[in-house]
Structure formats: C-alpha cells, structure tokens
Amino acid sequence: MNYFNELARLLDREQAFDKAQHEALLLQRSVQERIALGVTWFPIAITNSELGRGDYLTITVNRTNHLEEGHRFRFGMPVSLFSNHSPQKDRLHGVIAFAGRDTMRISFRVDELPAWSRGGRLGIDLLFDENSYKEMHRALDEANLALSNENQYSLVRLLLGEADARVPPHNPAYENDSLNPSQNKAIAHILGGNPLSILHGPPGTGKTTTLVYAVQALLMQQPQQLLIVAPSNTAVDVLTERLDAAGVSVVRIGNPVKVSDHLQELTLDARVDNHASRKTVKTLEKQARAYVDMAHKYKRNFGKAEREQRKALFDEARKIRKEVDQLLDYIVQDVLTKAQVITATLVGANHYTIRDRQYRTVIIDEAAQALEPACWIPILKADHVVLAGDHCQLPPTIKSDHRTSGGLYHTLFEKLVTRHPLNVSLLDVQYRMNVQIMKYPSVALYADRLQAGPTAAHWTLCGDDSPIIFIDTAGAGFEETVVDHAVSNRDEAHFLRNHLASFATNLNTSLSDQAFPSIGIITPYRAQSLYLLEIIAQDERLQPYMEQLQVNTIDSFQGQEKDVIYISLTRSNEKQEIGFLADTRRMNVAMTRARKKLIIIGDSSTIGRHYFYAGFLDYIDSLAKHHSVWEWDR
C-alpha cells in the first residue's frame, strides 16, 4: 500500500475512535463529571458581545466556579453554547477565538444570540475537534502528490529514503564556549546546508538550549524567517519564552497554556493589539458597534419601515466591519513579516494567518512525541527541516491502539534516525543526574554514550552516599489488584508512604538551614498514583513537606525533574505480567527525572524476567544497593 495512504488509514481509525470516545463522554457523563474532566464550563457569565471578524458574533465568557480546575479548551477548537433549560435542544455551535484560564472568546456565525440564551443558566461544552484531523489528512494528500512527482527534487522523497540526503563535504565550523562539543557539532550540522538535521537529545542534555543557539546561528548566517513547532502547547510555550529571552523576535500563534503576562505579549493577538494602526481599528469597531446597538433596539413586533431600517443599520455595520478586516489583515501580515521566528503547534502551522507561508528552515521540537501525519503539515512548508527529540522516551498518545509499537506509535523521528543515521547528532553530556542514576539508562538505551556533566556528576543530598537504591518487595505479599483494568498495589503504596515520611523527617533534621529538596512520587498506573496522592495527603507526618511533594503518573512527569524521585513499580503477581513496565521508554522517563536520589520500589520476582529489569537488577547489585523491604518497619 502507498506510504501516505497507509498513514491516512491509520489516522482514520484514530479519528473514529477519538470521536466515539468524546461523543460518549458528552452524552453519558453528568455536567459535574464533564467539568472535572475539563470539557465543560458551567455556569458561565457572558461579559461582552460584539460583531467580530467576518461578520461573526464574538462573545466573551467567564466561568463562575471550579476556577481551580484545569481544562482542555484551546484556541480554534469547536464548542457548543447550551442552556440548562433544554441542554440537548438549545445549542449554538461556535469556535474558540481565545482561551485563557477562566476566560474564553467564542465566535458564532450569527448576528445575535438566540432568545433561549437570555433565560436560565448557560454553559459551554467542548466538541470533538475535526479540524486537526482535516489538516493532517490535507497534509498527507499534499505529501502524496509531492512523492509522485519523480522529476522534481523533493524533501518528501528524501525523508522517505527514496532520495539520498545531500551531505556537504564538511560542516561549517561552529564554536561556542557556552556549549559542549556535542552541542557545537549538532549546530554545525544544522548550519551545513543539508536538508535534514536530526537532534537526538536524551534527558538532561540541553536540547532546548542547543535549539535556541541554533536559531541564533541560523539567523546570523542568513536573514530568514524560521517556523518552530511542537506537538504540545506547553512545549511551544517553553521555546517561545526561551527565544524571547535570547533576544529573538518571536510571534506565538495561538493561545499559550502557561498563563503569564509576558508570554501573552508574545502572541499574535497581543502584537496586533499593540500595533501602531490598532487605534484606527478601534475607532472603526466602535462605529460598527454603535450601528449594531441601534439595530438591536428594535423589538420583535415592528413594521416594514422599522425592519428596513434595522437591515440598513446591520448593513452599515457590516460595511465598516469589512474595512476593519482589511486593516487587520494588513496589521497581521506586518507583524508576521517583521518576526524572525514564528512558533505554533504542528496543526497551528496551518493557522489561516500563516497557512501560505514558506520557510527556508522549519524546526520540529519534541518530534519523537508527535503523530507523523501532524509532522507533515510544517514539513511541507520547508526547504530544510530540523527534528529534535528522543525516541527513547515516551511516544505519542494513541487512543485507538493499546500497543506500544508499530502503527502511529512508530514516529517519523524514529524512522528518520534509522533511515538517515549520518544526519543524527547525539547530545551526549547530561547536566541533570548523578552519574549513578544516569548510568543504567545510558547503558540500556543509549549505547553507554552518555556522560555526566561536571556540575551534576557527583551531586547528592546532604550527607547521602546512595544516589540510587532498589527496595525489593519480593516475598512480602504485596499483591497488586486489578479492577476494570486499573492496576494498583495498596501494600506497596503504604510502604512507600511510610518510607517517605521517615526519609523526609530524617532529611529535614540533617539539612539545618538548607532548603528542603523537591520530591516526585511516580508510577506507571493512574489508579496507583491517585491512591498514593490520597494517603500521602492524609498523613500528618508529611504535612510540613506537601509543597515540595508531587505525585503523578510517569506520563505526566515527562519534561520535569526533581531532586528526589520515588518510583512505585506496582506490579506484583505470580504470572510475572508487567504490562506498561514492558515499555522501556516509559521507565527511561521515570528513572531520569531524578537529580540527586532515585528510590525504586518493586517486586524483583515479577519484573526480573524482562531483559531491561534483569539488567537493572544486575546494575543495582554491582553497586550493592539492592535492599529488601524487610529491612524497614512496614
């Protein structure tokens, strides 16, 4: 089957599954459950209403409760306004124009809100996002077309291995005293004119720092505009802030997840609002609003003359609105053209304001966590593409398939590392972990090529000489339980809680005037993390340290680091079934979150037959750091 047709088939399956899940959630869950899941705001208050771009009615809404809850609402997603009087019947669909922590602007293709919106309490539901899938399918179709054109040099054909990568005779010299040799070598490759550069950044190796310096070097080498994208809004936010701090002129497309005034100022919306011509826009918008307000003063029962006058007022408002749109288009393009770097999510690379832009260089960060169909959206806009990531950490989230390899799990980044090994630059010095914590992941997953930077190699907690230990629960009767596919191990959780309480108390005593370290408690299983969170929060011994403690799943910890990490492996059964633990990428993420101390708790008899854990146990034995749970008061 054709390469892109097969990707489209896999994407269709993912879309169907995703849509069915989302629709079932809206239909089968109560409002309170949907609020908790972050897909509903209820009740809301409408704080503003105006005729917006393209004759769309734009309203501003605030949520009035559950302000501490997170949510999944993002720019460009479809939503539905509903009334509690008739939540199935009284609905109006719109699109999010802005999404903040507690405020949203929503555009509707109507002149005014329906009558039912003026009675009862209103809410907003997040609908299934068809647009992302449409953009991915459109990119696959376009890439397929480029692939079929054999008479033309094509980046698409090169990436698929059907054309040879053009490797220059030598890369230009690049030396920066702030970087290590592997980072300098990676930037030299990016500057070398090859259409493909792959930046492989294991945990703690300064991948983001390297990308920022690479961007600065590219801009110095040749005046150009760069597009930098990532699969998540959070990753885009990090890069946007880092580039801005480095003095790069950057414009963020879409709304940041991170709520900070400075990051908001870097968005396209904010740059447009601060443009010199914005004052003229506001004057015209005020005129249009005045005409709309006059039109709305007419009541339902009026004659022909009043109806015509109302229509004339709306027509005049629309005429002014067209002037506003034209002026806004000019402002948007002026802002974008002057930017050195545009940042967006993968799908955001096709935002209507930048859809037709082409770039000499496109950088895709966290590419090993990105769905391949989404990667083709920005790639098709590039002459030179840089992919940065680490395929030895977590893969993308695939909802339709619970396997951990093949299909959409097999990312473009991973494929390109295999197809074009000469284009891979490995960052080999990590600045996060004590060398004992780093060593086993390095041996097992990175061909023992990682080195510990001098600042991190030997750091430990105050008075501690055991940066890594394994506490073995074999023979202790700590049996796992599985309820509706949710795996937990309450005995192991209680042991971890007690060990943590004793550890924190002793550590606090020895620290004297030093700051208490940050501690992460992580596990592959959500049910186990929820139970750990519950019992830790209830333990009086741990109350003084709660601000320094974080409990979550491994997946939620990617991208974070703590001074101390506890890992609850959870699995303990006679069949030696280890489930999620078989995905060594997940365990790599877990082990490499720790800076100064790593404490792993698990059943060696359950995990020991898997090659990765057998190797780990051998490594722990070589350090004489293999302990039994019986050594502690349980």
Side-chain angles (χ1 to χ4, degrees), residues 81-107:
L81 177 72
F82 68 89
S83 163
N84 68 324
H85 282 335
S86 183
Q88 298 305 320
K89 179 185 174 186
D90 293 342
R91 284 192 173 264
L92 181 65
H93 294 343
V95 175
I96 298 173
F98 169 85
R101 179 182 292 164
D102 303 313
T103 303
M104 262 194 288
R105 287 202 309 272
I106 305 167
S107 293

Side-chain angles (χ1 to χ4, degrees), residues 437-571:
I437 298 171
M438 174 206 77
K439 186 64 176 176
Y440 186 67
S442 176
V443 169
L445 296 165
Y446 302 104
D448 200 16
R449 294 176 63 187
L450 295 188
Q451 310 164 48
T455 55
H458 302 294
W459 62 7
T460 59
L461 297 173
C462 180
D464 182 52
D465 62 355
S466 300
I468 181 170
I469 65 171
F470 176 71
I471 301 176
D472 196 347
T473 65
F478 288 8
E479 290 290 315
E480 68 185 58
T481 57
V482 183
V483 180
D484 293 332
H485 305 292
V487 181
S488 63
N489 189 323
R490 296 200 166 198
D491 289 330
E492 183 173 294
H494 283 284
F495 173 79
L496 188 155
R497 186 266 316 270
N498 291 335
H499 187 281
L500 172 63
S502 175
F503 174 78
T505 302
N506 293 336
L507 185 61
N508 192 42
T509 302
S510 65
L511 284 175
S512 62
D513 60 343
Q514 295 183 44
F516 193 83
S518 57
I519 300 178
I521 301 97
I522 58 182
T523 170
Y525 296 95
R526 180 165 175 76
Q528 182 77 342
S529 73
L530 291 173
Y531 187 66
L532 280 164
L533 182 61
E534 178 186 337
I535 62 174
I536 287 171
Q538 293 173 350
D539 195 312
E540 291 184 2
R541 297 171 296 176
L542 292 170
Q543 293 309 304
Y545 316 109
M546 288 306 293
E547 287 189 8
Q548 284 77 36
L549 300 181
Q550 183 179 351
V551 184
N552 220 321
T553 61
I554 294 172
D555 294 44
S556 299
F557 258 90
Q558 177 142 324
Q560 299 187 60
E561 55 189 70
K562 300 290 182 184
D563 294 317
V564 182
I565 287 288
Y566 276 84
I567 303 176
S568 170
L569 295 180
T570 307
R571 301 310 297 257

Side-chain angles (χ1 to χ4, degrees), residues 363-469:
I363 298 174
I364 304 177
D365 193 20
E366 303 295 357
Q369 281 191 278
L371 286 177
E372 179 172 350
C375 287
W376 287 105
I377 298 172
I379 287 172
L380 293 169
K381 303 175 183 296
D383 298 319
H384 167 214
V385 63
V386 179
L387 287 91
D390 180 14
H391 55 296
C392 299
Q393 296 189 62
L394 289 176
T397 300
I398 310 297
K399 298 177 182 178
S400 60
D401 194 338
H402 296 293
R403 294 178 300 158
T404 55
S405 62
L408 292 176
Y409 280 106
H410 197 29
T411 62
L412 182 62
F413 183 92
E414 193 175 352
K415 294 173 185 176
L416 293 176
V417 167
T418 303
R419 286 179 195 148
H420 300 287
L422 295 178
N423 296 70
V424 179
S425 300
L426 174 72
L427 303 183
D428 59 15
V429 182
Q430 65 81 22
Y431 301 92
R432 176 184 298 166
M433 295 162 273
N434 179 289
V435 66
Q436 288 188 20
I437 298 171
M438 174 206 77
K439 186 64 176 176
Y440 186 67
S442 176
V443 169
L445 296 165
Y446 302 104
D448 200 16
R449 294 176 63 187
L450 295 188
Q451 310 164 48
T455 55
H458 302 294
W459 62 7
T460 59
L461 297 173
C462 180
D464 182 52
D465 62 355
S466 300
I468 181 170
I469 65 171

